[in-house]
């Protein structure tokens, strides 16, 4: 994959991530128990939204469910896999002289998020939110097309290295394709299969297919866009923190309606992980969910933490990555308990931003590395050399 193509995909990932930041609560024809938004339809609340509204919450008297904690486990596992994969792609020859390493490092640098990009993220997110709010019908079609296309790419990128490895690279010969350049033949075999998954989701809106595509998108974002300093990470997460608060709690005072709620309930794209409630009553399937933005944004800091641990030769089980992951899990667990028990609207970033930034900063302070992590890594650090095992090729 050329660096130009990789950079274009990374830009697309950032734009779609900005959309994902405010589409974390949508679901069609199901009842949902989740952290956002604050005003959605529940049983008997026809005055809030019309009866055919695409988003319905679980009954107000529903209790904390084991699935609320399962969401935390699922999010943590996805983040762990994504962080290690972002550092060291599956089955890649990581020897110093490897051409794959040189190409991968170049592509990694192309997807680097800079300080000014964090401000652009909030601006693009807010602008797209307002555009969708005022032009819902037209924008919903466009966003569905965009997410379908990027989901196809993301799912293909997820499975490609495994298919290539287990077919012994039988279809790795490259052919020149206009605009794309040299492209492995395997891409042409995988593309129709991936398209079937996306088409199946479009037709059925199956929560299983939704989850497959959502996980693919998360991994795609975290391996295409990355941070290399605490300065950039702190800027991104703090801006996202206030972005969440404003659009969830304050937008109605400016626009007359809750913009976040209107947009979130009017779109249906695979930007959430859905987990069926285990203790729900009634014939309708009820879900708890977590939005893509609540995994990806803190996940960027976690990926940086793992890279920094590796660059310092630190054991990831007891340093930056471990404490940041622990903080993420604690923050998300608190959010799930409050939402599941009291059904109060809670933007998850209220808990996830301090839950990840504070442990990371305290660890840096304890180790005397504040200035070092603030300035960050200058180059991409691979996980292993060819004579080491990784989570993929043991």
């Amino acid at each position: 994959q050329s660096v130009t193509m990789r950079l274009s995909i990374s830009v697309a990932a950032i734009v779609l991530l900005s959309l994902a930041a405010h589409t974390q609560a949508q679901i069609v024809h199901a009842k949902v128990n989740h952290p956002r938004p604050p005003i959605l339809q529940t049983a008997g609340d026809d005055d809030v939204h019309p009866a055919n509204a695409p988003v319905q919450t679980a009954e107000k008297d529903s209790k904390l469910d084991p699935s609320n904690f399962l969401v935390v486990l699922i999010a943590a596992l996805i983040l762990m896999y994504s962080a290690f994969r972002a550092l060291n792609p599956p089955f890649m020859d990581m020897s110093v002289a490897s051409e794959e390493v040189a190409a991968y490092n170049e592509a990694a640098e192309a997807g680097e998020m800079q300080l000014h990009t964090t401000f652009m993220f909030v601006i693009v997110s807010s602008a797209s939110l307002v555009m969708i709010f005022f032009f819902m019908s037209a924008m919903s079609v466009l966003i569905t097309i965009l997410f379908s296309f990027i989901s196809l790419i993301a799912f293909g990128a997820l499975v490609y290295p495994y298919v290539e490895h287990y077919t012994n690279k039988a279809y790795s010969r490259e052919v020149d394709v206009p605009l794309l350049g040299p492209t492995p033949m395997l891409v042409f075999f995988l593309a129709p299969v991936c398209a079937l998954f996306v088409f199946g989701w479009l037709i059925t809106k199956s929560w299983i297919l939704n989850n497959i595509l959502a996980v693919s998108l998360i991994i795609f974002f975290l391996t295409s866009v990355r941070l290399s300093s605490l300065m950039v990470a702190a800027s991104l997460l703090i801006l996202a923190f206030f972005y969440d608060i404003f659009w969830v709690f304050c937008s109605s005072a400016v626009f007359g309606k809750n913009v976040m709620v209107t947009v979130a309930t009017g779109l249906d794209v695979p930007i959430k992980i859905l987990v069926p409630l285990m203790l729900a009553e009634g014939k309708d399937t009820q879900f708890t969910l977590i939005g893509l933005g609540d995994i990806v944004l803190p996940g960027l800091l976690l990926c940086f933490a793992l890279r920094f641990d590796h660059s310092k030769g630190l054991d990831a089980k007891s340093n930056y990555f471990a404490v940041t992951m622990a903080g993420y899990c604690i923050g998300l667990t608190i959010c799930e308990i409050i939402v599941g028990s009291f059904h109060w609207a809670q933007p998850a970033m209220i808990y996830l931003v301090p839950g990840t930034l504070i442990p990371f900063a305290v660890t840096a302070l304890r180790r005397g590395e504040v200035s070092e992590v603030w300035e960050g890594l200058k180059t991409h650090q691979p996980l292993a050399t060819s004579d080491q095992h990784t989570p993929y090729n043991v």
Side-chain angles (χ1 to χ4, degrees), residues 100-277:
E100 286 184 300
V101 169
Y104 180 62
N105 289 346
E106 189 175 1
E109 293 176 2
E112 200 76 47
M113 182 176 282
Q114 306 297 328
L115 183 62
H116 67 272
T117 315
T118 64
F119 292 92
M120 288 301 300
F121 165 79
V122 175
I123 294 172
V124 172
S125 297
S126 299
S128 62
L129 186 63
V130 173
M131 287 183 63
I132 298 170
F133 177 73
F134 286 111
F135 306 102
M136 178 66 72
S137 298
M139 293 297 293
S140 62
V141 174
L142 175 61
I143 291 171
T144 299
I145 294 173
L146 283 173
F147 271 107
S148 297
F149 176 70
I150 206 73
S151 295
L152 188 153
I153 295 176
F155 184 55
L158 174 64
V159 301
Y160 182 92
Y162 297 99
V163 176
E164 182 183 50
H165 177 76
Y166 290 112
T167 56
N168 295 317
K169 298 187 177 182
Y171 306 100
S172 296
R173 184 173 65 85
E174 295 182 339
V175 295
D176 284 324
V177 178
L179 301 180
L180 297 180
T183 304
M185 292 182 61
L186 183 58
V187 170
F188 301 103
F189 293 104
L190 280 180
V193 177
C194 297
L196 283 177
F197 274 83
V198 176
F199 183 73
W201 168 78
L202 285 170
I203 298 300
T204 66
K205 296 302 171 73
S206 163
W207 68 270
I208 297 176
L209 291 177
N210 173 91
N211 286 355
I212 292 173
L213 296 181
V215 171
S216 300
L217 284 168
I218 292 168
I219 297 170
F220 175 74
F221 289 144
L222 291 178
T223 54
S224 298
V225 180
R226 60 193 64 187
L227 310 175
S228 285
S229 72
L230 181 60
M231 175 176 60
V232 177
S235 174
L236 176 65
L237 291 175
I238 292 172
L239 287 172
F241 178 87
F242 288 106
Y243 166 92
D244 238 13
I245 291 175
F246 174 80
W247 288 111
V248 170
F249 295 119
C250 306
S251 61
S252 57
V254 178
F255 296 91
K257 293 176 65 177
N258 191 309
V259 176
M260 183 75 81
V261 171
T262 303
V263 171
T265 57
L267 294 176
D268 182 36
V269 285
I271 305 302
K272 66 276 180 184
I273 302 292
L274 296 168
V275 181
L277 295 178

Side-chain angles (χ1 to χ4, degrees), residues 59-133:
E59 289 83 354
K60 291 180 179 178
D61 59 353
S62 59
K63 304 299 181 181
L64 187 65
D65 192 276
S67 294
N68 291 105
F69 300 103
L70 184 58
V71 165
V72 179
L73 176 61
I74 292 173
L77 291 175
I78 293 172
L79 284 173
M80 289 183 65
Y81 174 84
S82 300
F84 278 94
R85 176 162 174 153
L87 195 62
N88 182 42
F91 310 112
M92 178 176 287
D93 178 9
M94 300 303 292
S95 59
V96 176
S98 170
E99 293 183 1
E100 286 184 300
V101 169
Y104 180 62
N105 289 346
E106 189 175 1
E109 293 176 2
E112 200 76 47
M113 182 176 282
Q114 306 297 328
L115 183 62
H116 67 272
T117 315
T118 64
F119 292 92
M120 288 301 300
F121 165 79
V122 175
I123 294 172
V124 172
S125 297
S126 299
S128 62
L129 186 63
V130 173
M131 287 183 63
I132 298 170
F133 177 73

